[in-house]
Amino acid sequence: MVDEKENEMVVTPWEVRGRVDYERLIREFGTQPLTEELRQRIARYTGRLHLQLRRKLFFSHRDLDVILDLYEKGIKFVLYTGRGPSGTVHIGHLVPWIFTKHLQDKFKTRLYFQMTDDEKFVVEDELKLEETKNFAYENALDLIALGFEPENTSIIFDVKDIALLYDIALEVAKRITYSTARATFGFQDSTNIGWIFWPAIQAVPCFLHAKLTGENVPALIPAAIDQDPYWRVTRDIALKLGYYKPAQIHCRFLPGLGKGGKMSASEPETSIFTMDPPEVVKQKIWNAFTGGRATVEEQRKLGGDPNICTIFQYFAYLFEEDDKKLAERERQCRAGEILCGKCKTELTERINKFLAEHQKKREKARNIIEKFYIKR
Ligand code: TRP
């Protein structure tokens, strides 16, 4: 029997469950779809659209059009994104970071990156503060390994940098009522009060640039759509504080290697971590859920289904830059001309090549991480 509850869609900043219906999220969250027209506007600045836009991994936004209007008038924006350091980084986490780097390169903007060691400590029952602080440090190495540069990238480690954030956090917190926060985040009587104050801290980097430089500019936040509730409350109070409303560009979740669901660190078998050695990657990919048939004969005759195939999605979202080659892979799969084993082998090779490089850069990042620490 199918358990209805298990299939029910739940998307909150703390939980993503069930089959995610992105159209429905746009309606329920009240965001805007990323239209072809807007994509073309972006392309004016970026040249050929980034793979993640071409393939609609980024699919929704708030005020991206406003950001571009302002940019055309000479008002730059800053980029803001972040990470809740509750464990090691998997390749699903890299997706919006890679896109952020692309935007940063093309628009020549500063990035503020928030490592929320405080959030993960108050929200996750089992984690100690020392652990989330340590993950924050280790996760920052993964970020730096993607090629960000210290000249235009500032990493905020919340616990270490709280003195820098606190005055703005207070201004924000004073203007959000408990009833709004409860309705937005679903707080219960049993929710600890650290968690209840927390959204004020996630709002701060939207406004921090003005404090640091005296330039009041808007922030654009590339992130998965589960973070949207934070921006709803932040947008409500931004103008009252004399700032621009932060704009967003939202991405989908990278699926895990299992059937359905996003890649999640709590399911290590279906997630590829950036520190996984080659044999482990090979094994995980080998066990992945595909759109293949039960037998070779059937697959030759009926073809596979790339739509439901996790392997195909990894090619589409990360590991096949060439649109023609991707389309050809899709055609061959549907026609029964290639079998899952071949796709798995090829994907394993690409991921392992990428990870070998990434792991080297990640180790080197230890020597330069301090240059990324935010300065007052
Ligand atoms: N709350 C986020 C998480 O748990 C971390 C975060 C903080 C973040 N600021 C952000 C994510 C801005 C995206 C954009 O992962």
Side-chain angles (χ1 to χ4, degrees), residues 88-89 142 273-277 355 358-359 362-363 366:
T88 48
V89 166
D142 284 292
F273 295 94
T274 60
M275 298 301 286
D276 277 347
L355 288 184
H358 183 84
Q359 288 164 7
R362 195 179 173 283
E363 278 316 301
R366 288 185 199 278

Side-chain angles (χ1 to χ4, degrees), residues 80-84 114 116 119-120 202 221 223 227 230-231:
Y80 163 36
T81 192
R83 153 89 182 137
Q114 185 177 38
T116 63
E119 174 193 21
K120 289 298 156 182
Q202 180 149 329
I221 306 168
Q227 297 296 305
Y230 287 110
W231 321 126

Side-chain angles (χ1 to χ4, degrees), residues 143-351:
L143 180 77
I144 295 168
L146 295 178
F148 288 96
E149 277 152 15
E151 291 71 39
N152 54 9
T153 306
S154 303
I155 306 178
I156 303 160
F157 294 88
D158 282 344
V159 173
K160 170 170 83 57
D161 296 321
I162 192 64
L164 181 63
L165 311 179
Y166 199 48
D167 54 354
I168 302 177
L170 289 172
E171 297 285 351
V172 171
K174 192 171 180 175
R175 288 167 181 84
I176 300 174
T177 65
Y178 178 60
S179 100
T180 299
R182 190 185 45 202
T184 309
F185 298 104
F187 296 141
Q188 308 283 316
D189 280 355
S190 57
T191 305
N192 73 56
I193 61 175
W195 192 338
I196 291 162
F197 180 75
W198 157 254
I201 303 209
Q202 180 149 329
V204 175
C206 298
F207 310 134
L208 194 58
H209 189 73
K211 171 173 167 177
L212 293 172
T213 66
E215 277 176 284
N216 194 6
V217 296
L220 172 64
I221 306 168
I225 192 155
D226 62 324
Q227 297 296 305
D228 189 68
Y230 287 110
W231 321 126
R232 292 206 285 275
V233 295
T234 310
R235 287 167 59 83
D236 279 350
I237 55 93
L239 298 178
K240 287 182 207 155
L241 294 179
Y243 301 114
Y244 288 99
K245 288 186 182 186
Q248 287 83 48
I249 178 162
H250 301 113
C251 65
R252 297 167 200 262
F253 309 106
L254 191 72
L257 294 165
K259 193 174 174 187
K262 70 164 188 169
M263 189 173 270
S264 163
S266 55
E267 289 169 49
E269 284 317 305
T270 64
S271 304
I272 293 171
F273 295 94
T274 60
M275 298 301 286
D276 277 347
E279 324 78 69
V280 171
V281 172
K282 186 172 173 198
Q283 197 57 47
K284 286 179 180 175
I285 299 278
W286 203 252
N287 294 333
F289 175 76
T290 71
R293 303 277 172 177
T295 64
V296 173
E297 291 72 42
E298 261 185 64
Q299 185 146 351
R300 291 267 181 234
K301 203 162 106 210
L302 304 168
D305 182 358
N307 273 346
I308 58 163
C309 179
T310 59
I311 302 291
F312 185 76
Q313 303 205 39
Y314 281 80
F315 279 117
Y317 292 151
L318 279 164
F319 294 104
E320 180 55 85
E321 169 61 41
D322 188 323
D323 290 349
K324 286 210 191 84
K325 287 190 184 152
L326 187 73
E328 177 58 12
R329 186 181 296 278
E330 181 169 357
R331 189 197 64 72
Q332 288 184 336
C333 171
R334 287 192 197 283
E337 290 170 21
I338 40 172
L339 300 177
C340 299
K342 183 153 186 278
C343 285
K344 285 178 173 173
T345 308
E346 288 175 12
L347 183 66
T348 303
E349 275 167 22
R350 287 193 204 183
I351 294 185

Side-chain angles (χ1 to χ4, degrees), residues 1-253:
M1 214 177 77
V2 181
D3 184 344
E4 273 301 314
K5 268 224 124 57
E6 242 174 52
N7 267 324
E8 190 192 346
M9 173 173 90
V10 177
V11 176
T12 71
W14 300 286
E15 192 183 16
V16 177
R17 188 155 49 78
R19 206 187 71 76
V20 181
D21 177 341
Y22 290 98
E23 300 298 316
R24 196 179 125 197
L25 281 182
I26 289 182
R27 284 197 308 276
E28 286 180 6
F29 283 7
T31 67
Q32 305 297 315
L34 197 57
T35 59
E36 187 52 33
E37 187 202 338
L38 205 44
R39 271 200 292 273
Q40 290 318 319
R41 262 189 95 183
I42 300 173
R44 270 187 240 155
Y45 302 97
T46 61
R48 181 146 197 263
L49 282 178
H50 190 268
L51 166 163
Q52 295 184 14
L53 281 172
R54 293 203 308 275
R55 309 210 179 130
K56 309 209 167 109
L57 192 57
F58 278 84
F59 70 105
S60 152
H61 76 103
R62 290 181 188 270
D63 280 358
L64 181 61
D65 45 343
V66 176
I67 288 284
L68 293 173
D69 289 344
L70 290 167
Y71 193 78
E72 271 155 29
K73 288 192 201 125
I75 300 174
K76 270 209 172 179
F77 57 91
V78 294
L79 289 162
Y80 163 36
T81 192
R83 153 89 182 137
S86 54
T88 48
V89 166
H90 59 61
I91 59 179
H93 298 128
L94 302 182
V95 165
W97 303 354
I98 290 169
F99 185 64
T100 300
K101 175 79 170 57
H102 163 78
L103 289 181
Q104 187 185 45
D105 290 345
K106 298 294 174 179
F107 288 93
K108 311 247 177 300
T109 57
R110 169 157 291 278
L111 166 66
Y112 293 96
F113 192 101
Q114 185 177 38
M115 283 291 177
T116 63
D117 42 11
D118 51 351
E119 174 193 21
K120 289 298 156 182
F121 172 65
V122 296
V123 167
E124 304 283 338
D125 284 340
E126 325 76 53
L127 286 175
K128 299 194 184 78
L129 192 54
E130 273 318 304
E131 291 172 318
T132 60
K133 281 164 68 177
N134 186 50
F135 282 135
Y137 180 91
E138 291 291 320
N139 294 178
L141 301 176
D142 284 292
L143 180 77
I144 295 168
L146 295 178
F148 288 96
E149 277 152 15
E151 291 71 39
N152 54 9
T153 306
S154 303
I155 306 178
I156 303 160
F157 294 88
D158 282 344
V159 173
K160 170 170 83 57
D161 296 321
I162 192 64
L164 181 63
L165 311 179
Y166 199 48
D167 54 354
I168 302 177
L170 289 172
E171 297 285 351
V172 171
K174 192 171 180 175
R175 288 167 181 84
I176 300 174
T177 65
Y178 178 60
S179 100
T180 299
R182 190 185 45 202
T184 309
F185 298 104
F187 296 141
Q188 308 283 316
D189 280 355
S190 57
T191 305
N192 73 56
I193 61 175
W195 192 338
I196 291 162
F197 180 75
W198 157 254
I201 303 209
Q202 180 149 329
V204 175
C206 298
F207 310 134
L208 194 58
H209 189 73
K211 171 173 167 177
L212 293 172
T213 66
E215 277 176 284
N216 194 6
V217 296
L220 172 64
I221 306 168
I225 192 155
D226 62 324
Q227 297 296 305
D228 189 68
Y230 287 110
W231 321 126
R232 292 206 285 275
V233 295
T234 310
R235 287 167 59 83
D236 279 350
I237 55 93
L239 298 178
K240 287 182 207 155
L241 294 179
Y243 301 114
Y244 288 99
K245 288 186 182 186
Q248 287 83 48
I249 178 162
H250 301 113
C251 65
R252 297 167 200 262
F253 309 106

